[in-house]
Amino acid sequence: MNISEAAKRSGLSSKTIRYYESIGLVKVAKRSDNGYRDYSESDVEALRFLQRARATGFGIEECRQLLGLYDNEQRHSSHVKSLVLEKVEQVESQIAELQAMRNTLNTLASRCAGDEGPHCAILDELSTVSGEESNLEEGK
Amino acid sequence: MNISEAAKRSGLSSKTIRYYESIGLVKVAKRSDNGYRDYSESDVEALRFLQRARATGFGIEECRQLLGLYDNEQRHSSHVKSLVLEKVEQVESQIAELQAMRNTLNTLASRCAGDEGPHCAILDELSTVSGEESNLEEGK
DNA sequence: GCTTGACCTTATAGTTGCTGGAAGCTTTAG
DNA sequence: CTAAAGCTTCCAGCAACTATAAGGTCAAGC
């Protein structure tokens, strides 16, 4: 099957598939007589695996590891599990960062009248010299 | 003051300050006789504003808008507030995405024995054809 | 047989927000 | 006087693609 069919079935774009090939994340596709890439079902399986792993938050290099384990009959499932648990931690710390941001933003918004006038507590806070009594971080 | 002093006071790096100048986010700094950039207190104030806004989650283009409002005596605080509230929404949807990811990862991990054997539910799930009864998304 | 349009190919550049390094000034400390 | 630190500019690179250009191929319709 041609690349666009493989794209449709894997959920990746054709561009992304070529890109993954170019960085060696998937093996080089075999070519038809016309020079087009030609994919088999098992190629699509690997592509779908990647699509899922990426959507689940794994980076390219982590996908490379996962794919290596996927292809390795000698793997230990504990190894796979630890990659996943490590990723959970990373995702959780990202969540915490974003929550802190959201709290700061909400605090800023709550202090601003949001009217026709030019005075704005948000701008005041953003320009405040660190160390002045603003307590922005505390989300009061 | 020289750039490294401005960097220290604003919380940005010298590189970042030069970068902001190069993309027109801050006005071109005036130069001393030796060709070094020379910053005033009010320059530092703008830089600090940017440092805060970036840390609070605003992108470069959003910072440009905020800075425009900061410098505009005719602004309406409602305009600033709506920028902030829009950002809150963006941050919240990012949080939701990451939480979904985390749930998926936890579900994956919980199904994997994590032992010496090669069988691994995580790899099975990641390679499952969409539409088969896995219910990964539902985080069961 | 020819055209049209969809699909394929490669190669290159752009995205975001910086960071790092090279090569070459000036200034400062010993 | 010399060495180190600090400044300058410009170019490359990071992640993970996406967009664009310029071209080859294929299937359908006339």
Side-chain angles (χ1 to χ4, degrees):
Chain A
M1 89 191 70
N2 283 348
I3 196 168
S4 64
E5 182 64 23
K8 199 177 304 171
R9 294 202 202 179
S10 63
L12 295 168
S13 72
S14 301
K15 296 250 185 205
T16 300
I17 295 173
R18 288 191 202 98
Y19 172 68
Y20 285 174
E21 186 185 296
S22 80
I23 60 170
L25 185 55
V26 294
K27 60 179 209 271
V28 172
K30 94 180 205 289
R31 302 295 179 118
S32 306
D33 292 346
N34 57 16
Y36 289 10
R37 285 175 182 78
D38 185 26
Y39 295 91
S40 68
E41 287 302 331
S42 73
D43 292 333
V44 169
E45 196 181 308
L47 291 170
R48 194 166 39 226
F49 182 96
L50 285 170
Q51 189 277 320
R52 296 234 176 162
R54 288 287 296 123
T56 308
F58 293 95
I60 294 287
E61 292 313 312
E62 290 163 331
C63 286
R64 215 186 283 274
Q65 283 185 66
L66 285 171
L67 219 39
L69 289 165
Y70 185 61
D71 291 338
N72 176 9
E73 303 292 318
Q74 308 309 308
R75 71 187 165 236
H76 290 178
S77 72
S78 60
H79 188 174
V80 183
K81 188 166 186 169
S82 73
L83 283 176
V84 171
L85 291 174
E86 198 181 311
K87 180 52 67 177
V88 169
E89 305 243 313
Q90 288 173 30
V91 170
E92 285 186 336
S93 78
Q94 278 185 65
I95 290 172
E97 258 180 59
L98 288 171
Q99 284 172 337
M101 256 181 211
R102 181 197 49 196
N103 294 343
T104 301
L105 287 164
N106 277 327
T107 303
L108 283 171
S110 73
R111 294 187 188 172
C112 173
D115 58 19
E116 308 298 297
H119 172 70
C120 179
I122 294 167
L123 298 175
D124 291 350
E125 298 278 8
L126 287 174
S127 62
T128 299
V129 175
S130 290
E132 284 178 29
E133 69 311 313
S134 86
N135 294 318
L136 195 50
E137 308 307 327
E138 296 166 27
K140 294 204 191 168
Chain B
M1 84 191 76
N2 283 347
I3 196 167
S4 64
E5 181 64 22
K8 200 176 303 169
R9 294 204 201 177
S10 64
L12 296 169
S13 72
S14 300
K15 288 262 185 198
T16 299
I17 295 173
R18 287 191 202 100
Y19 171 68
Y20 285 174
E21 185 184 296
S22 80
I23 60 171
L25 186 55
V26 293
K27 59 177 210 271
V28 173
K30 94 178 206 289
R31 302 296 179 117
S32 306
D33 292 345
N34 57 15
Y36 289 11
R37 287 175 181 79
D38 185 27
Y39 295 92
S40 68
E41 286 303 331
S42 74
D43 292 334
V44 169
E45 195 182 310
L47 292 169
R48 194 167 40 227
F49 182 96
L50 284 170
Q51 190 276 321
R52 295 234 176 164
R54 290 285 299 123
T56 309
F58 293 95
I60 294 288
E61 293 312 313
E62 291 163 331
C63 287
R64 214 185 284 274
Q65 284 184 64
L66 285 171
L67 218 40
L69 290 165
Y70 185 60
D71 291 338
N72 175 8
E73 302 293 317
Q74 308 309 308
R75 73 191 163 233
H76 291 179
S77 73
S78 60
H79 189 174
V80 183
K81 188 166 185 170
S82 73
L83 284 176
V84 171
L85 291 174
E86 199 182 311
K87 180 53 66 178
V88 169
E89 304 245 310
Q90 288 173 30
V91 171
E92 285 188 335
S93 78
Q94 277 186 66
I95 289 172
E97 257 180 61
L98 288 172
Q99 284 172 337
M101 255 182 211
R102 181 197 49 194
N103 293 344
T104 301
L105 287 164
N106 276 328
T107 303
L108 283 171
S110 73
R111 293 187 188 173
C112 173
D115 57 19
E116 309 297 297
H119 172 70
C120 178
I122 293 167
L123 298 175
D124 292 349
E125 298 277 9
L126 287 174
S127 62
T128 299
V129 175
S130 288
E132 282 177 30
E133 67 313 311
S134 86
N135 294 319
L136 193 50
E137 309 306 328
E138 297 165 28
K140 290 204 190 171

